[in-house]
Each structure stands twice: as structure tokens, then as C-alpha cells.
Amino acid sequence: MERKMTTEHTTRSDALMERARKYIPGGVNSPVRSWYNVGMTPRFIRSGKGPYLIDADGNEYIDYICSWGPMILGHGEETIREAVIAAAERGLSFGAPTETEVEIAQFMSERIPSAEVLRMVNSGTEAVMSAIRLARGFTGRNKIIKFAGNYHGHSDCLLVEAGSGLLTAGIPGSAGVPEGCTADTLSAEYNNAESVEKLFDANPGQIAAVIVEPVAANMGVVLPGEGFLQKLRTLCTRNQALLIFDEVITGFRLAFGGAAEYFGITPDLVTYGKIIGGGMPVGAYGGRREIMEMVSPLGPVYQAGTLSGNPVAMAAGLAQLRLLYDHKEDYALLAEKGEKLYGEMDRIIKEKGLPWQVNHIGSLGCIFFTGKAVTDYRTAKTSDTEIFARYFRCMLEHGIHLAPSQFEAMFLSLSHTGEILEKTLAAFKDAMENI
Ligand code: KE4
């Protein structure tokens, strides 16, 4: 398709962005969509189908954001669409329990060992915020350990050396968060279990939980080193603290049972988002019954939400989870696609004698423009974000829609065929020769 865009801006996206900036901060409803750090106007998307997005000017892109993870089956999946329409025809929201909420909770509980009981919320942020409050309520302790470069949504106490949009903007925290909110948040080094042990030793009997992205995907993609997650499991058990797996990205992506299944580690609490909503706003947190029964109305840990368990959102999420469960062999297919795409990217880099790094696992991956192996926040930050911006712009010229930040992931879907991957690799090869 002939590309109808200027070297700098697409006409309608440009006009829409100018209008948007009048009414929405930075013209976007989530900072990382602003494309500020790559110096371009974001493409306003009109529609999506499979691996493709169509922008406001009718340009077509191969999409590797996939709504930041939810669209693991590709855009516009028919079964999910039909489920949403059928649910919407019965009404959008009742503020009362519905059968679909029971169905999705039972479906997940019966298949996810670490989520015997679950509570639905409306975002990953809400899921993590609630899980932290629950861990504190259950243990009677206040301190939590998180990892530099991990991002768990934007609740106050977790905006400490966070990843994703904060790392993109080069800010470790946020204005408006009083010191009191983060005073009990301790920051450890990803892939350094000793840094966690030291915090436990320095704060005996005070740490409620350790929260971790079992595969970090908000400082770019950083894999857990051999034994790292197991050591966290051991340290939490030894210190009567809860291990929280933030599986908002990895949940139902690395395996149907997420990173917990993939690495064979059982967390005490798990948080979900993205894929469990099938593209609709859904988050959830879950754990064993004795912990989850601390949550209101049963217990003293309060948490609530007007649209939690929204029937239309539940229908979308349940439809997607059922498809993933019924075709679990597709996880091997996703991994094959990942191996082909990211493995070939790595081969091209090496063939050209470039120092860049490709980290990947399953359908998640990313390129770091640094010569250092990227294993944590410190090494991720050695990446050259200017080269990333040039890479991003070159791939966009080839019609490849990437996350607009060095510190995000590429998301593959089942709809990314071999031909799509070949086109992407051809664009990547050109980018490696010309940025
Ligand atoms: P949401 O509140 O954005 O649904 O989820 C927060 C969250 C929690 N935990 C993890 C591991 C996450 O990755 C996220 C959100 N992910 C980012 C992408 N890196 C969302 C994109 C955005 O902020 O627009």
C-alpha cells in the first residue's frame, strides 16, 4: 500500500494531536502513547485487524504494541467481538453480581494454582495497589520490596525507581507523591537476590511482601537469572513475607499459567491485567483462600470498584481465556514466532558486527542499544535512547508500529504470520544498516 504520510507527520493524526492537546494532557490518556521521546506525532488509530492497525490517514501498520499486551490473539478476534456484542445487548453495567463474573473467576481459579480466589478490578494498577494493601493487612507489616526498573502501575507507593513511562521520561518517581507514601517502599536490584536478603536482614519482621515482575518488561525485556525467582520464594517463606508475582504482562502470555507455570514457582499473590480483559479494562488479584478472605466484605482489607467485574468486560476476558486454554498448543507456536523474530534480529545484529543486545522470552522481546548485557535497571539505562528513536522512526517508515520507547517490550500475537515476521525482519535489516 502506498504510504500517505509526510516524512514527519501524517496529516489527520497531526490535526487530531493538535486538537487532543487542547483537551487532554499531552494529547494522550497515557504518557507513553505521546511519542514525545521519539520526537514524532503518534498515529491515531482508526481500526485493527489481526496484526494490522489502520491509522486516521488510512496507513496500514504491522503492530507490535498489541495494546501493550492484551491482543495476544490479534486485533478484532471474531469470538471475542461476538461475546462483547452479545453481552452489550443484555445491558452494559448493573452494579450487581452477574453470572459471567462467576464464570471467569471459576475458570481462572480452577486452572491457576496460585489464584484459588480472585477479585476483579479495572486495571493492572488497581490490581497491584489492592494486592499490596492486602499483603500489608494479612501480615500486619508495612514495608514492601520492589525492584528498580519494575513497573507495577501508578499507585503512589510503587512509584519508586519505576520502569515503563517513568523510565522513558527519565524520572525515578512522580511529583505529588508525599514521602510518607514511599517511606515503606524498599528498592532492590533485579537479578540480585542478595540485595533482597540484605533488606530483609535490615528490616527484620517488617516486610509484608516482595513484588516482582517475574519477567521484567518495563525496562525493556529483562529475564530472571538462573534461580533468582526461586531465591525470592525462599527468602519470602523464610521471613513470613508474601511473594507477589505481578503478571499483568506475563500472565496468560508466557504460558496459560503465566510465569508461575513457566518457571514453576508459586507466589502467594498474583496480579493480572491486559490479556484477562481481552482488550477491555480489566485487572485482577488473587491468592490462596486464607489470604483473599481478608478482603472486604469478608475481612478488614477494604477494596471496591463501581465497574469491577463489568459484564461486557468479563465476557471479553472470558472469551479470550477460553480460546487460549482450548488451544494451549498455541503457546508453543507463540514461542516459535518469538524465536524466529527475536532470534533472527539477534543474528542480523551479530552479522553486522553491531554491539546491540536482544533479550527475549516466548512472545516478548526487545532490542537494547547498548553494548552491555542487560540484566537490570542499571544496565538497561546504558542504552542509547537517541539511536532507539532513529530505529523507531525507520521501522515506522517501513510500516512497523513499535512501542515508542527503549524501555518497553515488543508483543507478538498469534496473528503474526511467518510472512509478517519476514516483512518485519526486512525492515529491521534496513534499520540496522541505516540508523
Ligand atoms: P495498567 O494500570 O496500565 O492496566 O497496568 C499497570 C501495570 C502493572 N504491572 C505491569 C507489569 C505493567 O506492565 C503494567 C502496565 N504496563 C504498561 C506497559 N509497559 C502500560 C502502558 C501504559 O502505561 O500506557
Side-chain angles (χ1 to χ4, degrees), residues 30 32-33 68 123-125 128 151-153 164 213 217-218 246 248-249 274 408:
S30 197
V32 77
R33 300 180 201 162
W68 300 94
S123 69
T125 292
V128 173
Y151 176 71
H152 303 290
S164 187
E213 287 185 56
N218 286 292
D246 179 353
V248 168
I249 283 187
K274 300 182 193 279
E408 297 288 355

Side-chain angles (χ1 to χ4, degrees), residues 222-272:
V222 177
L223 278 59
E226 185 64 37
F228 173 62
L229 296 175
Q230 183 52 58
K231 283 185 194 132
L232 297 185
R233 177 64 279 168
T234 305
L235 284 169
C236 285
T237 304
R238 186 187 305 158
N239 291 279
Q240 293 85 46
L242 299 185
L243 176 60
I244 304 175
F245 269 13
D246 179 353
E247 295 229 41
V248 168
I249 283 187
T250 54
F252 305 97
R253 176 167 284 278
L254 285 190
F256 188 80
E261 175 186 325
Y262 190 95
F263 295 105
I265 305 275
T266 303
D268 298 298
L269 287 174
V270 58
T271 57
Y272 294 118

Side-chain angles (χ1 to χ4, degrees), residues 223-365:
L223 278 59
E226 185 64 37
F228 173 62
L229 296 175
Q230 183 52 58
K231 283 185 194 132
L232 297 185
R233 177 64 279 168
T234 305
L235 284 169
C236 285
T237 304
R238 186 187 305 158
N239 291 279
Q240 293 85 46
L242 299 185
L243 176 60
I244 304 175
F245 269 13
D246 179 353
E247 295 229 41
V248 168
I249 283 187
T250 54
F252 305 97
R253 176 167 284 278
L254 285 190
F256 188 80
E261 175 186 325
Y262 190 95
F263 295 105
I265 305 275
T266 303
D268 298 298
L269 287 174
V270 58
T271 57
Y272 294 118
K274 300 182 193 279
I275 288 175
I276 69 165
M280 300 289 281
V282 179
Y285 63 102
R288 59 180 187 275
R289 188 172 300 282
E290 67 164 326
I291 303 176
M292 291 303 291
E293 293 195 340
M294 289 287 285
V295 177
S296 177
L298 288 181
V301 177
Y302 192 72
Q303 177 269 313
T306 302
L307 293 171
S308 296
N310 172 273
V312 181
M314 294 295 97
L318 184 56
Q320 176 140 278
L321 293 183
R322 279 181 170 148
L323 285 168
L324 288 167
Y325 188 74
D326 292 347
H327 303 281
K328 278 208 274 189
E329 68 281 2
D330 284 347
Y331 284 100
L333 199 49
L334 270 171
E336 262 173 53
K337 291 174 189 287
E339 188 48 47
K340 174 176 171 62
L341 177 65
Y342 305 121
E344 190 56 23
M345 283 166 62
D346 196 35
R347 196 195 61 73
I348 292 168
I349 287 166
K350 289 184 168 61
E351 181 187 74
K352 295 185 180 307
L354 296 167
W356 317 138
Q357 311 285 318
V358 175
N359 285 2
H360 64 100
I361 180 169
S363 57
L364 284 174

Side-chain angles (χ1 to χ4, degrees), residues 31-32 146 149-156 158-175 177 218 377 381 405 407-408:
V32 77
K146 76 174 288 288
N150 277 194
Y151 176 71
H152 303 290
H154 63 87
S155 60
D156 282 351
L158 288 162
L159 291 177
V160 172
E161 288 191 303
S164 187
L166 292 108
L167 198 43
T168 302
I171 49 175
S174 168
V177 176
N218 286 292
Y377 186 57
K381 287 200 295 182
S405 165
F407 306 111
E408 297 288 355

Side-chain angles (χ1 to χ4, degrees), residues 51-251:
Y52 296 108
L53 293 178
I54 306 288
D55 75 6
D57 291 277
N59 295 305
E60 183 182 80
Y61 302 90
I62 295 171
D63 181 29
Y64 285 97
I65 297 183
C66 294
S67 182
W68 300 94
M71 312 323 287
I72 190 170
L73 298 176
H75 294 287
E77 205 288 327
E78 203 51 33
T79 311
I80 299 173
R81 202 176 75 86
E82 285 164 4
V84 166
I85 291 167
E89 279 170 355
R90 294 194 295 271
L92 299 181
S93 180
F94 311 111
T98 65
E99 185 178 352
T100 322
E101 291 169 84
V102 183
E103 282 182 33
I104 191 170
Q106 183 176 354
F107 189 83
M108 291 171 69
S109 167
E110 288 175 346
R111 292 164 179 81
I112 306 289
S114 49
E116 183 184 4
V117 177
L118 300 113
R119 170 61 62 83
M120 293 291 164
V121 293
N122 301 282
S123 69
T125 292
E126 229 187 312
V128 173
M129 178 176 73
S130 310
I132 294 288
R133 183 180 309 138
L134 174 56
R136 286 170 159 161
F138 179 75
T139 61
R141 300 173 177 180
N142 292 336
K143 291 185 191 304
I144 56 166
I145 294 174
K146 76 174 288 288
F147 292 89
N150 277 194
Y151 176 71
H152 303 290
H154 63 87
S155 60
D156 282 351
C157 75
L158 288 162
L159 291 177
V160 172
E161 288 191 303
S164 187
L166 292 108
L167 198 43
T168 302
I171 49 175
S174 168
V177 176
E179 263 175 48
C181 289
T182 54
D184 287 321
T185 305
L186 309 171
S187 186
E189 239 182 278
Y190 199 77
N191 277 324
N192 180 346
E194 199 187 325
S195 70
V196 178
E197 188 161 18
K198 281 182 182 157
L199 289 172
F200 270 116
D201 294 345
N203 300 274
Q206 299 170 58
I207 293 171
V210 173
I211 183 166
V212 66
E213 287 185 56
V215 169
N218 286 292
M219 47 175 151
V221 176
V222 177
L223 278 59
E226 185 64 37
F228 173 62
L229 296 175
Q230 183 52 58
K231 283 185 194 132
L232 297 185
R233 177 64 279 168
T234 305
L235 284 169
C236 285
T237 304
R238 186 187 305 158
N239 291 279
Q240 293 85 46
L242 299 185
L243 176 60
I244 304 175
F245 269 13
D246 179 353
E247 295 229 41
V248 168
I249 283 187
T250 54

